[in-house]
Structure formats: C-alpha cells, structure tokens
Amino acid sequence: MQGELLRASQSRPPEERLRPDRPRSDCPVLLSQRLVLRTPHEEDIDALAHLANNANIATMVSRMPHPYTAKDAADFVRRTKAGEIGKCVYAITRGDNGAFLGCCALEPQQDERTLELGYWLGEPYWNRGYATEAAHALIDMAFRTRNNIDHIDARCRVTNIASRRVIQKCGFQFQGTGMIDCLALGGMVAVEWFRLDRKTWMSLRSWGELR
C-alpha cells in the first residue's frame, strides 16, 4: 500500500518484507509462515481455472462465473496485471513449493478510509488455516502501511460457516446483514457484514492468540 515501503520493510516482520527484486508497489509481495502472496501471473492460469471451476466456490462469492474456464482465468490474470480490476489482488501460493491455492484482495470503498477484504481457496486446501493466514497478512499490511485506512470490511454469505469463522478469527465484529448480487447464481443472496477497525487490530496484533 502507500508509504515508503522499501525503506520501512527492513524494520517489519518477515511476512511483510518485500522480495529484493520487487520494486515499490501498492501491492507488495507478502510472506507469512507458510504462504507467499503475490501478483497473479500467466503460470497460474491452469491451476486457477481448475480450482475456480467449482460451484461450491462460485456460489459463495459475488463475481465469479460458473462454469469457470481457462479463458476466464487468462482474462482475470490479464485484467489484474493491467490494473483494470481496480483493487489489490493477490495469488495465494505455498511458500515451500509455489503451488497456487486461491486468491485474496483488498478493495477500496467509496469513503476512501475503508477497504474490503475478499478471498477464496480451492476446495482441496480448505480447513488448513490458509485463508486465515492470508487474511492476517493482508490486514497487517494494510493497517501498517496505509495510515489513512480506519476500517477493513468483510462479507460472507449467511450460509458460509467456514468463511464466517475466518472473519471472526481475524477479529472482525458483526455489523449487520444485507443482499449482494451473485454472478454464478444470477441473483441476489443474503450476506453478513463484518468490520475490523484500526484500534481493535492494534489490540489484537499478536495474531497467534486468534488461531
């Protein structure tokens, strides 16, 4: 995010440091205990298409088509690299072998002091703590490098128990319910809205207590 990322990265924990060959960016490469979060690229297309072509995933997020083809994956990577999606999008990958697991993102909201967190993982990688680990890395990066951000929001379908658990483990507090459009279902679905403010994040910076 914004700020003197390269200079400041040396004083940050390993999960937030930029790789040496990475230039300053609004979306720096993030390292966590098991994961590397980086920009999606062409080598991800096959794995992306394979994992995303799953109704169990598409029906739980708002803007993923179903079926999901290699053409959809290639277009997603192209639009992400071109900045056309308009948000900070990451590929979630394994740190030990580089395997592509899914995607996560931070999207600016209209009030300019709030970001929205989004994520999905391929079904073979569910229930291993990867989503929580990726979310922690994104949240820490956002609050530490964007002084103008006061809140991070997250939404999940009311039927998505696993996603709600990830959100709660990251310290988000329930705000209310609403409706959003789901592309895969071709209609509106009920969602729950959660929010994490900067003060709460500061009191929960030892993420290990939440896992």
Side-chain angles (χ1 to χ4, degrees):
M1 309 313 254
Q2 296 175 350
E4 297 296 328
L5 296 179
L6 291 177
R7 184 174 63 190
S9 67
Q10 298 304 314
S11 62
R12 293 179 188 153
E15 65 268 19
E16 293 184 348
R17 293 176 189 164
L18 297 176
R19 288 178 171 176
D21 60 346
R22 176 79 175 187
R24 185 185 302 178
S25 169
D26 284 344
C27 303
V29 173
L30 302 177
L31 308 179
S32 65
Q33 182 178 3
R34 296 177 296 170
L35 303 174
V36 175
L37 275 58
R38 55 157 177 80
T39 302
H41 50 60
E42 286 77 6
E43 288 77 8
D44 299 323
I45 289 174
D46 289 344
L48 170 59
H50 173 70
L51 294 176
N53 187 32
N54 184 337
N56 292 332
I57 296 172
T59 58
M60 291 296 169
V61 298
S62 61
R63 288 172 285 191
M64 182 181 290
H66 185 73
Y68 195 96
T69 67
K71 183 177 182 298
D72 293 318
D75 186 59
F76 171 79
V77 171
R78 178 192 62 78
R79 292 171 59 226
T80 298
K81 293 180 69 175
E84 295 177 7
I85 295 180
K87 56 187 177 181
C88 196
V89 180
Y90 285 96
I92 304 172
T93 68
R94 283 271 300 269
D96 56 354
N97 60 15
F100 177 91
L101 310 183
C103 290
C104 57
L106 290 169
E107 182 173 4
Q109 301 300 290
Q110 290 184 348
D111 66 5
E112 298 183 353
R113 303 194 68 84
T114 302
L115 298 173
E116 181 159 349
L117 171 70
Y119 52 85
W120 67 268
L121 283 176
E123 191 165 358
Y125 306 108
W126 292 359
N127 301 315
R128 301 187 190 182
Y130 290 135
T132 303
E133 188 172 331
H136 284 167
L138 277 181
I139 292 165
D140 285 349
M141 181 271 290
F143 279 132
R144 284 181 170 138
T145 65
R146 290 284 296 272
N147 292 330
N148 63 314
I149 295 301
D150 294 329
H151 309 99
I152 298 177
D153 287 352
R155 290 173 173 80
C156 66
R157 287 193 61 183
V158 296
T159 56
N160 195 340
I161 298 172
S163 186
R164 183 187 304 115
R165 178 60 179 155
V166 170
I167 291 168
Q168 292 173 334
K169 286 168 71 176
C170 290
F172 286 76
Q173 302 298 310
F174 178 75
Q175 302 294 307
T177 59
M179 303 290 290
I180 63 169
D181 186 57
C182 178
L183 181 61
L185 292 174
M188 304 294 286
V189 295
V191 296
E192 294 176 334
W193 166 37
F194 298 82
R195 170 165 284 185
L196 177 66
D197 61 60
R198 182 178 290 275
K199 290 182 179 179
T200 302
W201 167 76
M202 291 180 67
S203 70
L204 298 173
R205 289 174 70 174
S206 179
W207 288 116
E209 297 177 4
L210 296 175
R211 293 192 176 110

